[in-house]
């Protein structure tokens, strides 16, 4: 992947090194270390310069990112890939259910990483797979992928600062009482399991989920949820803890009468673009398999 970023040094931005300026822009130390390895990666007024170069007002700073190798353990595989948005820095996709984010021993060729690797291989474009907001295997919806190391480190930092707003739609059996509220309960690994999580008041990490009922149909409630934290299986465990487990959740609530996977969909993302700082907002409708749960049986 190749990307060229341009900066014009303005009043108040001069009087620091290139490295100092880029750190203020969100470049990590690891990114700067990688830039050092790339030939002519930093230009000032079209001339190669070191990261210690002292910037002056009016300088034209160019950062040339070149990533010439792809993720070595992700095999390109032709799989369906639903692209919602793409530019030079980010890719936003609608991940389908029954598709893990990363390859594993059991899903070596059926992951989102495989599909994205194929997509860029067809463009003869090296690509390192950097997924920012990871979804569970059978959770569908919006997922952000960074297209290069700089957008990747910036988006990862935004996740840690909780600057990416994530909203989900989920379905549970009706009624949900109270119809809206906040679940604040710490999560930890379930003893004896490497997959399952549980409420752990002694050693768990804090987890906060807000929810509100959108509608009630066909004996089920459609719920909108948004997160303050992003723990593994957070929504699934919190809803079960509150007494309203998600239907179709084979791990925590094997209620498979109406749907064969957990009824959970990442429906909305709001964040500032890591490079341009433009406000980005993406929404998706309810997927067909979840919509059918809410339809009256005829």
């Amino acid at each position: 992947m190749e990307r060229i970023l341009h900066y014009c040094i303005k009043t108040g931005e001069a009087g620091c090194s290139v490295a100092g300026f880029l750190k203020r822009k969100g470049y990590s130390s690891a990114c700067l270390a990688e830039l050092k390895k790339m030939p002519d990666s930093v230009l000032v007024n079209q001339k190669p310069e070191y990261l210690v170069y002292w910037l002056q007002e009016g300088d034209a700073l160019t950062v040339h990112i070149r990533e010439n190798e792809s993720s070595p353990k992700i095999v390109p595989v032709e799989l369906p890939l639903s692209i919602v948005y793409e530019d030079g820095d980010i890719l936003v996709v609608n991940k389908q259910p029954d598709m893990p984010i990363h390859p594993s021993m059991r899903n070596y060729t059926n992951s989102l990483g495989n599909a994205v690797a194929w997509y860029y291989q067809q463009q003869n474009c090296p690509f390192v797979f950097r997924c920012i907001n990871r979804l569970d295997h059978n959770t569908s919806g919006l997922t952000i992928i960074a297209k290069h190391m700089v957008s990747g480190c910036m988006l990862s930092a935004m996740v840690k600062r909780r600057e990416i707003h994530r909203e989900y739609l989920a379905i549970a059996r009706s009624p949900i009482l109270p119809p809206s509220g906040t679940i604040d309960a710490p999560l930890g690994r379930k003893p004896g399991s490497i997959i399952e999580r549980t409420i752990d008041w002694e050693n768990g990490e804090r987890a906060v989920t807000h929810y509100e009922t959108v509608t009630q149909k066909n004996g089920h409630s459609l719920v909108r949820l948004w997160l303050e934290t992003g723990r593994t299986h957070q929504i699934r465990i919190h809803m079960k803890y509150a007494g309203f487990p998600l239907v179709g959740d084979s791990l925590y609530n094997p209620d498979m009468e109406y749907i064969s996977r957990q009824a959970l969909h990442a429906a909305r993302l709001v964040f500032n673009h890591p490079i341009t700082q433009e406000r980005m907002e993406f929404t998706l409708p309810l997927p067909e398999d979840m919509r059918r749960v809410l339809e009256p049986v005829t």
Side-chain angles (χ1 to χ4, degrees):
M1 184 62 64
E2 187 169 353
R3 180 74 164 103
I4 299 176
L5 302 173
H6 300 281
Y7 303 96
C8 181
I9 307 305
K10 303 175 183 178
T11 303
E13 294 178 331
C16 69
S17 66
V18 171
F21 174 83
L22 293 178
K23 282 187 175 181
R24 292 178 189 175
K25 290 293 183 181
Y27 288 60
S28 67
S29 297
C31 282
L32 296 179
E34 289 300 314
L35 284 175
K36 288 182 181 180
K37 302 175 185 177
M38 300 176 187
D40 297 337
S41 60
V42 174
L43 305 177
V44 178
N45 302 324
Q46 301 183 357
K47 294 173 56 179
E49 292 290 356
Y50 293 107
L51 293 177
V52 295
Y53 176 86
W54 212 251
L55 293 167
Q56 304 298 316
E57 183 178 344
D59 279 346
L61 172 62
T62 301
V63 176
H64 195 165
I65 304 163
R66 301 179 187 87
E67 295 183 315
N68 299 318
E69 297 182 359
S70 298
S71 299
K73 297 182 180 180
I74 300 182
V75 179
V77 181
E78 186 175 9
L79 297 168
L81 182 64
S82 176
I83 296 176
V84 177
Y85 174 84
E86 182 178 11
D87 62 24
D89 306 299
I90 64 174
L91 180 70
V92 179
V93 303
N94 177 13
K95 188 187 83 66
Q96 301 304 304
D98 195 29
M99 175 180 274
I101 294 289
H102 291 95
S104 64
M105 291 183 64
R106 295 183 179 180
N107 289 285
Y108 189 66
T109 60
N110 185 42
S111 73
L112 181 61
N114 298 121
V116 173
W118 173 271
Y119 174 69
Y120 286 108
Q121 184 190 64
Q122 301 314 296
Q123 303 173 45
N124 294 316
C125 181
F127 192 78
V128 177
F129 185 62
R130 300 179 177 95
C131 188
I132 303 303
N133 62 313
R134 301 175 184 180
L135 302 179
D136 293 339
H137 184 142
N138 271 326
T139 298
S140 58
L142 291 164
T143 307
I144 310 169
I145 298 165
K147 291 184 65 173
H148 53 78
M149 65 178 187
V150 174
S151 60
C153 77
M154 292 179 177
L155 285 164
S156 295
M158 290 165 62
V159 170
K160 292 179 181 179
R161 298 193 298 264
R162 302 177 185 175
E163 294 174 354
I164 298 179
H165 179 74
R166 295 167 287 171
E167 291 186 14
Y168 295 78
L169 293 173
I171 297 176
R173 296 276 185 173
S174 291
I176 292 179
L177 297 173
S180 63
T182 296
I183 305 168
D184 186 344
L187 299 180
R189 195 181 298 274
K190 184 177 180 179
S193 175
I194 62 172
I195 299 175
E196 293 183 67
R197 299 316 195 255
T198 188
I199 302 298
D200 185 344
W201 293 102
E202 293 186 2
N203 302 307
E205 297 179 292
R206 189 176 186 224
V208 181
T209 303
H210 305 282
Y211 74 91
E212 66 177 12
T213 302
V214 176
T215 188
Q216 295 184 11
K217 293 180 179 179
N218 194 30
H220 293 81
S221 291
L222 178 65
V223 186
R224 183 174 74 94
L225 307 105
W226 59 104
L227 306 177
E228 284 191 26
T229 56
R231 310 300 180 196
T232 300
H233 299 175
Q234 178 173 322
I235 289 175
R236 298 161 67 185
I237 292 293
H238 271 180
M239 289 296 285
K240 181 178 180 179
Y241 171 72
F244 314 108
L246 305 188
V247 297
D249 190 338
S250 60
L251 193 59
Y252 299 111
N253 180 44
D255 178 359
M256 322 300 281
E257 181 179 359
Y258 291 91
I259 191 170
S260 60
R261 57 103 174 185
Q262 66 249 19
L264 183 60
H265 180 63
R268 184 169 180 255
L269 282 175
V270 182
F271 59 96
N272 289 341
H273 191 283
I275 304 299
T276 68
Q277 294 303 305
E278 177 187 357
R279 194 69 167 168
M280 312 293 287
E281 181 174 350
F282 303 99
T283 59
L284 289 175
L286 202 64
E288 178 64 20
D289 61 347
M290 289 179 63
R291 189 180 64 81
R292 287 196 301 267
V293 176
L294 300 173
E295 293 178 347
V297 178
T298 57

